[in-house]
Amino acid sequence: MTNEQYIQTHKEDDVRRLALAKHPEGIDLQYCLQQIEGWQTARRKLPRWAGTDGVVFPRRLSLEQCSSEATALYKARIVERLLPEGRDSIADLTAGMGVDFSYLAPLFERAVYVERDRELCDLSERNMPLLGVENAVAVCREAEEFVLEGEHFSMLYLDPARRDKDGRKVSSIEHCSPDVGSMAKRLLEISPLVMVKLSPMLDIHDALTRLPDVAEIHVVGVDGECKELLLVMRRSHAYPIRHVCADLGEHGSEYAFEGGKAAAPTISPSIDSFLYEPNACILKAGIQDSLCKAFGIGKLHPFSHLFTSDKKVEGFPGRSFQVVSVSDCSKKSIRNMAGNLGKANLTVRNFPSTVAELRKKWKLAEGGEDFLFATTVADGSFAIIHCKKA
């Protein structure tokens, strides 16, 4: 049995069990298990890669760190908007497994894949033609060295490694590798457009102090979970910055805000018929207060990040609920409410107790069609808002 035959036979099987099971002589078991595990991950994360015969998958860490197909396609749409023409060349300076590269490269006449890891470069040279990327040139080099060679590009793309030499995650852009902040001036000298992918755990404001000429900030999520930050630098860009929060899930949304700090929110003196909770991307970007003007809604409290309106608004970037009732936090009110419900989905916003503490205190099971929000309202008092999905 060949390696490929073994992989095809067992591609749906549990990799841990395969590792312990008896296997045919003559196969490279480590390679086969890596390919089976890689295909199983790609089937969910990278359908096009998983559905392409002959693609070889790298080690687990590269697959864990790579973009998903959904977020890679989103980057391609940004490029098509920002560069409707004149897409002569692109260089991905930290190409890694090459997922983002495989979606960006076809938009340009020439595409250079730059990666310091020789194994990943070799995989890229094999995989890119299979994926339909015929214009790629692979260069095994450090990004810092490559940008000193003097070649100019229509666009540069970077996804700095977010782990130190010991494999620990880092929390600042200056500790990423390469340090884009120290390279930024040179990057903008050789390209008028630079896109940088960062972890959603990194501080946006810290990144802005280290990167010049930021024109756009994209906070990208999938099904309500933040996946990555994208900062777009444009040579000699003039303020303001465009913020875009995009949720790419099945019921996703996209919301854009241009400017610096949003205007002060409109505080609602009461809780009206509908309640709104912004998605994680909006909160990460810190532009939730701009929703008041954009949707004609009021905020319950400056720090609660919940909104309300008398009539339902369409297209809100987050969850929408219809208010059933509002209770104070007296023991009697809570006893009646929790006793009548038995179970509910519970969220805490600007409230002195955690979800776990309240569930235990109220003897409230999780789940069901009812939603409770424990929060602070305009006059500074606490309230429990009982809702149903709108």
Side-chain angles (χ1 to χ4, degrees):
M1 178 179 282
T2 66
N3 287 337
E4 291 306 316
Q5 288 172 333
Y6 182 86
I7 292 167
Q8 289 301 316
T9 300
H10 297 285
K11 65 192 302 184
E12 303 273 358
D13 295 349
D14 186 290
V15 175
R16 290 169 296 183
R17 291 184 179 180
L18 287 176
L20 299 174
K22 185 177 180 180
H23 58 275
E25 293 184 6
I27 69 163
D28 184 339
L29 183 62
Q30 183 176 355
Y31 170 80
C32 291
L33 294 180
Q34 179 176 304
Q35 296 313 302
I36 293 169
E37 183 180 41
W39 180 83
Q40 290 175 357
T41 300
R43 180 174 50 175
R44 302 183 302 273
K45 192 174 184 179
L46 304 166
R48 182 162 74 94
W49 284 58
T52 301
D53 292 336
V55 165
V56 176
F57 297 102
R59 52 192 178 274
R60 178 189 298 175
L61 182 61
S62 295
L63 270 165
E64 289 176 349
Q65 294 179 339
C66 76
S67 297
S68 67
E69 185 169 300
T71 58
L73 284 168
Y74 179 78
K75 298 181 188 76
R77 293 198 296 273
I78 295 175
V79 173
E80 289 176 317
R81 173 175 58 82
L82 295 179
L83 289 178
E85 56 186 24
R87 296 197 294 263
D88 299 318
S89 58
I90 182 174
D92 184 339
L93 300 179
T94 54
M97 180 178 165
V99 173
D100 286 323
F101 181 80
S102 70
Y103 288 93
L104 296 175
L107 301 177
F108 294 82
E109 294 294 324
R110 180 169 180 266
V112 181
Y113 166 106
V114 183
E115 171 54 48
R116 62 187 179 184
D117 187 313
R118 169 52 65 184
E119 180 184 346
L120 291 175
C121 281
D122 292 342
L123 286 182
S124 172
E125 291 185 315
R126 172 190 172 110
N127 289 338
M128 290 305 145
L130 297 174
L131 293 163
V133 183
E134 303 290 349
N135 62 338
V137 176
V139 177
C140 186
R141 200 162 302 158
E142 295 281 354
E144 296 93 333
E145 297 174 2
F146 181 82
V147 299
L148 295 177
E149 294 181 0
E151 187 174 357
H152 286 65
F153 295 89
S154 306
M155 175 183 168
L156 296 175
Y157 176 74
L158 297 92
D159 177 7
R162 293 175 286 277
R163 292 178 184 271
D164 63 19
K165 61 182 181 180
D166 298 317
R168 293 172 298 197
K169 292 183 179 180
V170 297
S171 57
S172 174
I173 190 172
E174 64 179 325
H175 297 134
C176 293
S177 179
D179 176 3
V180 183
S182 64
M183 298 172 61
K185 182 179 178 181
R186 178 58 182 164
L187 297 176
L188 289 167
E189 286 176 353
I190 65 174
S191 177
L193 179 66
V194 181
M195 182 185 293
V196 183
K197 172 187 168 184
L198 299 170
S199 164
M201 301 303 293
L202 295 185
D203 188 316
I204 294 177
H205 300 292
D206 177 63
L208 288 176
T209 65
R210 301 180 188 282
L211 297 183
D213 296 324
V214 174
E216 297 188 359
I217 300 170
H218 295 254
V219 185
V220 185
V222 178
D223 292 325
E225 180 183 356
C226 281
K227 291 296 185 180
E228 57 192 45
L229 304 180
L230 298 174
L231 273 65
V232 178
M233 296 186 287
R234 304 197 79 167
R235 186 188 294 158
S236 302
H237 173 72
Y239 200 75
I241 296 174
R242 185 171 190 258
H243 297 74
V244 182
C245 297
D247 190 307
L248 308 179
E250 182 181 355
H251 303 291
S253 62
E254 186 170 314
Y255 173 72
F257 167 74
E258 290 199 10
K261 188 175 181 181
T266 302
I267 304 299
S268 175
S270 62
I271 300 170
D272 297 322
S273 301
F274 293 91
L275 188 76
Y276 307 95
E277 181 187 35
N279 63 36
C281 294
I282 296 284
L283 297 175
K284 175 62 183 179
I287 58 172
Q288 58 274 356
D289 288 351
S290 70
L291 298 172
C292 292
K293 183 177 180 180
F295 292 93
I297 56 182
K299 198 175 186 184
L300 298 191
H301 183 276
F303 305 116
S304 292
H305 303 329
L306 293 171
F307 299 80
T308 189
S309 70
D310 193 38
K311 296 181 179 179
K312 186 177 184 294
V313 300
E314 299 299 331
F316 183 82
R319 298 194 298 175
S320 302
F321 302 90
Q322 187 157 13
V323 176
V324 176
S325 63
V326 179
S327 302
D328 58 31
C329 289
S330 66
K331 290 184 179 180
K332 181 179 180 181
S333 297
I334 292 173
R335 186 169 58 249
N336 291 338
M337 176 199 61
N340 290 334
L341 292 178
K343 67 176 181 178
N345 303 280
L346 178 60
T347 298
V348 167
R349 291 281 186 199
N350 191 23
F351 196 81
S353 301
T354 66
V355 169
E357 289 169 345
L358 293 181
R359 285 199 181 282
K360 182 178 180 181
K361 184 177 180 180
W362 298 347
K363 297 181 174 57
L364 189 69
E366 186 175 359
E369 297 181 353
D370 295 280
F371 293 79
L372 297 178
F373 288 86
T375 189
T376 303
V377 293
D379 64 2
S381 63
F382 301 131
I384 312 299
I385 309 169
H386 175 200
C387 304
K388 299 276 190 179
K389 272 201 169 179

